């Protein structure tokens, strides 16, 4: 068997675009926030993002105790990348680790998350062509075709990891050949644009 190199695996994990977090309440608000370098989040963007923040923060460790004590919700370090991705930021595994190292152990509130998100948006997102190139590195046949089962295993097992339901949402409805494989270009386009029905908010 021919195995992918570690760098190839990381490349595939890094292109995993906006996930759809588990839970019906937040699934309804799943979106990608489009923010150009130098821009600040608008009121409308924050109103949608806070729904995701509150959903994740309310399920964090110690959330109930904080609520009983009358303390505000906070997002713990290991959950910050989840919300980043849910809002459209694809991050390399090493970027995720660096991000978590800089976060206070007690977590951050929504205002602090917004500042952090704006800072992350200073780095341009990967283009469709770059994502396609990374996916092609996983295709040992050189035909530009990806086995969905293999891709799901890569995305689940490396980097931050993705939920099976998130991956299914990304791959749902994409055309497949007689062997069930999907072209890397079709997957790259979906990762850039997001699944159908996802709300996108951008600055004017």
């Amino acid at each position: 068997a021919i195995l992918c190199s570690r760098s190839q695996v990381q490349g595939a994990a890094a292109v995993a675009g906006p996930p759809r977090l588990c839970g019906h309440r937040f699934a309804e608000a799943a979106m990608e926030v489009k923010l150009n370098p130098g821009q600040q989040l608008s009121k409308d963007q924050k109103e949608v993002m806070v729904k995701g923040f509150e959903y994740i923060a309310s399920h964090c460790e110690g959330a109930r105790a904080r609520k009983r004590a009358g303390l505000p919700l906070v997002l713990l370090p290991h959950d910050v990348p989840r919300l980043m991705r849910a809002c459209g930021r694809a991050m390399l595994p090493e970027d995720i680790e660096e991000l978590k190292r800089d976060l206070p152990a007690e977590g951050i509130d929504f205002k602090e998350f917004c500042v952090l998100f704006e800072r992350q948006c200073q780095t341009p997102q990967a283009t469709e062509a770059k994502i396609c190139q990374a996916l092609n590195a996983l295709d040992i046949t050189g035909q530009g075709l990806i086995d969905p089962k293999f891709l799901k295993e890569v995305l689940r097992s490396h980097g931050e990891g993705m939920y099976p339901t998130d991956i299914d949402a990304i791959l749902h409805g994409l055309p497949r050949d007689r062997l069930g494989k999907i072209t890397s270009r079709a997957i790259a386009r979906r990762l850039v644009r997001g699944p159908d029905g996802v709300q996108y908010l951008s600055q004017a």
Side-chain angles (χ1 to χ4, degrees):
I2 301 177
L3 301 178
C4 295
S5 69
R6 184 170 182 270
S7 61
Q8 290 171 336
V9 170
Q10 286 183 338
V15 302
R20 312 301 156 220
L21 296 181
C22 297
H24 297 298
R25 285 179 294 172
F26 185 63
E28 296 175 355
M31 60 170 290
E32 179 177 0
V33 178
K34 292 184 178 295
L35 199 66
N36 294 323
Q39 287 185 321
Q40 293 184 329
L41 290 164
S42 68
K43 179 181 178 182
D44 289 341
Q45 289 173 322
K46 289 181 179 180
E47 285 178 354
V48 177
M49 290 173 66
V50 74
K51 296 178 182 179
F53 179 91
E54 290 176 349
Y55 178 81
I56 300 178
S58 65
H59 290 77
C60 284
E61 181 182 353
R64 292 184 179 180
R66 291 185 63 84
K67 185 177 181 179
R68 287 195 298 267
L71 298 173
L73 291 173
V74 295
L75 204 60
L76 297 180
H78 64 271
D79 285 317
V80 171
R82 289 180 59 199
L83 187 54
M84 283 283 181
R85 287 197 325 180
C87 292
R89 297 301 303 174
M91 304 174 68
L92 290 165
E94 53 265 34
D95 294 334
I96 292 173
E97 292 305 314
E98 181 179 354
L99 173 68
K100 291 192 293 187
R101 282 198 301 269
D102 293 337
L103 295 173
E106 62 273 18
I108 59 176
D109 59 22
F110 180 66
K111 182 178 180 180
E112 292 169 322
F113 176 79
C114 288
V115 172
L116 185 61
F117 185 84
E118 290 171 347
R119 188 162 69 240
Q120 288 293 319
C121 287
Q122 297 299 314
T123 303
Q125 287 281 67
T127 64
E128 182 179 321
K130 289 184 178 180
I131 293 175
C132 189
Q133 183 179 13
L135 288 169
N136 283 334
L138 298 173
D139 174 28
I140 61 175
T141 68
Q143 297 177 332
L145 296 170
I146 304 295
D147 183 343
K149 293 182 179 178
F150 173 64
L151 181 61
K152 287 174 70 173
E153 186 60 31
V154 170
L155 296 177
R156 286 179 57 188
S157 305
H158 295 79
E160 182 197 0
M162 293 180 68
Y163 291 108
T165 52
D166 297 342
I167 304 171
D168 289 338
I170 291 172
L171 301 179
H172 178 71
L174 292 178
R176 308 189 183 204
D177 68 5
R178 59 186 179 84
L179 297 178
K181 294 185 178 182
I182 305 173
T183 65
S184 57
R185 184 164 298 280
I187 298 173
R189 185 173 293 115
R190 175 62 61 83
L191 286 169
V192 169
R193 299 179 182 177
D196 295 337
V198 174
Q199 181 183 8
Y200 289 78
L201 279 187
S202 61
Q203 292 279 32

